[in-house]
Amino acid sequence: MLGKKLVTAQKRGDTRALFLGLGMMACSVLMYFFIEITITPKYKKSIWTKESICEVMKASIKEKVHCIFNKHSGDENIFRYPCLEVQVNLTALGQVVMLYHTEDTWTRNPKCSYIPGNLENFGEVQKNVESIKNNFSKIKIFPCFYDPSRAEPSVILERLYSPAGFVITMIWPTLMMTGGILIIILVKINQYLSVFTASQYIRPV
Ligand SMILES: *[C@@H]1O[C@H](CO)[C@@H](O)[C@H](O)[C@H]1NC(C)=O
């Protein structure tokens, strides 16, 4: 009686563990899929792969420049942040080109080198952009990234979508996939072992 109950309980436990394992695998597949459609394109578009040294030639704040977000709002004359323009000498090639903060800056507004994070208080935003401009007059030489194929002449200061970043992004779904597979393997081994032990007991001596 007790033995039968134990076997039923173990079976139920096995089924739960199997479902947990399968659930984790399904979840990681969803995560891979999500990464593939949302994040991978950003990594593919990150063409600024080569590092070099850049030297600031000019850092200035342009007079009012359209903020891209307002293009379709009808209110054509709202400017939400001062537009900082930084020109650098890409010393590896001796070319003077536009510098962008990150890949996203280039995508969102290629007219400006920097887009402030919080656009709510214009006074704060102005101070923020000014201080960044001043930093460029203090730190004139720094590492930067450029497109070695020269399809894109500009350079960026920080690479958001580097291969190392992609590996880090893939760690979570991969861990979950491995966990799911391990659970299923363990359940199978356990089942095999209990069948094996049971057969040892049943076998007549
Ligand atoms: C840019 O840097 C290179 C290498 O240091 C130098 O030869 C060149 O004259 C610089 N160009 C300008 C416009 O300053």
Side-chain angles (χ1 to χ4, degrees), residues 53 55-57 88-96:
I53 298 293
E55 188 185 351
V56 176
M57 295 276 109
V88 294
N89 179 3
L90 174 54
T91 52
L93 305 171
Q95 292 171 350
V96 177

Side-chain angles (χ1 to χ4, degrees), residues 56-67:
V56 176
M57 295 276 109
K58 194 184 105 188
S60 59
I61 290 176
K62 282 198 258 182
E63 283 310 303
K64 300 172 175 178
V65 160
H66 277 288
C67 176

Side-chain angles (χ1 to χ4, degrees), residues 1 3 7 15 21 23 29 52 70 83 87 109 112 117 156 175 177 197:
M1 267 308 266
V7 169
T15 318
V29 168
S52 171
N70 286 324
C83 185
Q87 299 276 345
N109 188 356
C112 308
I156 61 171
L175 277 182
M177 179 59 94
T197 346

Side-chain angles (χ1 to χ4, degrees), residues 10 189-202:
Q10 196 197 347
I189 290 179
N190 193 32
Q191 278 175 351
Y192 171 77
L193 281 183
S194 51
V195 167
F196 181 74
T197 346
S199 70
Q200 294 246 309
Y201 279 111
I202 291 162

Side-chain angles (χ1 to χ4, degrees), residues 154-197:
S154 65
V155 293
I156 61 171
L157 185 59
E158 263 174 66
R159 256 192 112 184
L160 290 182
Y161 309 109
S162 64
F166 192 69
V167 170
I168 291 171
T169 314
M170 295 306 268
I171 282 178
W172 287 112
T174 307
L175 277 182
M176 199 174 247
M177 179 59 94
T178 318
I181 292 174
L182 273 183
I183 287 178
I184 289 174
I185 290 177
L186 285 179
V187 169
K188 288 293 165 196
I189 290 179
N190 193 32
Q191 278 175 351
Y192 171 77
L193 281 183
S194 51
V195 167
F196 181 74
T197 346

